[in-house]
Amino acid sequence: MDTLSYKTVSANRETVNKEWVVIDAENQSLGRLASAVAKMLRGKHKPEYTPHVDCGDNIVVLNAEKVALTGNKWSQKRYIRYTGYPGGQRELNAKQMMAKNPKSLVENAVKGMLPKSRLGRKLMKNLYVYAGTEHKHEAQKPKEINLNSIKL
């Protein structure tokens, strides 16, 4: 006899409903944009969220070169990488990184908010960042989301 009034539903790769979403990053704060994108990549905004499954959406971020940083972060925020050779530590500030590759600023922020595992690396493949307003995903018919009007 089934006495429970609810069933726990666990999503898997076949039952997940993935959508395409476009987000405009113009005048958005980098951290707030990245946390919203990371939540949507994980699928935490969906009722059938399952932690160990890629149940998030495919996200296209436009206008990455127009993202905003507050305070003195353009000059004081540091991005450190290591080449693998002795003395190979390299450092860029946010302004230099934006001049070099505007997409990497947003990608780096979102990557830091995802799990550091195989799942996190798989989720990053669902993120498409473009510096301008043009993208090549019109065939997927993505829906546009305004981050200021939704609550995540």
Side-chain angles (χ1 to χ4, degrees):
M1 184 164 124
D2 191 18
T3 59
L4 290 176
S5 62
Y6 61 89
K7 294 279 186 188
T8 301
V9 178
S10 184
N12 59 27
R13 195 177 318 145
E14 289 79 29
T15 62
V16 168
N17 181 22
K18 295 178 79 67
E19 298 175 351
W20 282 83
V21 176
V22 173
I23 295 176
D24 189 8
E26 186 171 2
N27 298 326
Q28 296 285 333
S29 176
L30 178 63
R32 291 176 187 270
L33 169 75
S35 66
V37 169
K39 255 184 225 176
M40 293 178 79
L41 278 174
R42 290 274 333 248
K44 287 190 166 190
H45 64 293
K46 295 183 176 183
E48 64 271 1
Y49 167 69
T50 308
H52 64 278
V53 177
D54 174 14
C55 52
D57 296 332
N58 295 302
I59 299 182
V60 179
V61 178
L62 303 178
N63 290 324
E65 81 278 355
K66 296 180 183 174
V67 75
L69 289 176
T70 59
N72 294 328
K73 291 185 188 135
W74 284 113
S75 59
Q76 292 178 352
K77 187 168 180 61
R78 302 181 313 155
Y79 293 93
I80 299 173
R81 66 182 178 88
Y82 184 64
T83 64
Y85 290 96
Q89 183 172 325
R90 303 288 186 255
E91 182 178 309
L92 293 171
N93 64 23
K95 186 176 281 190
Q96 294 167 333
M97 195 158 176
M98 180 64 87
K100 186 175 181 180
N101 186 4
K103 299 183 336 181
S104 62
L105 203 64
V106 174
E107 288 172 347
N108 197 340
V110 172
K111 185 177 181 182
M113 296 182 184
L114 291 176
K116 280 63 174 175
S117 62
R118 287 184 289 184
L119 178 63
R121 290 186 293 274
K122 185 177 179 187
L123 292 173
M124 275 302 289
K125 292 180 182 176
N126 296 334
L127 176 66
Y128 304 91
V129 181
Y130 296 98
T133 58
E134 300 296 319
H135 64 91
K136 58 181 181 179
H137 305 285
E138 279 89 13
Q140 283 76 23
K141 297 185 180 90
K143 65 178 183 178
E144 189 149 341
I145 288 186
N146 184 2
L147 290 181
N148 296 328
S149 64
I150 63 169
K151 180 163 172 80
L152 286 175

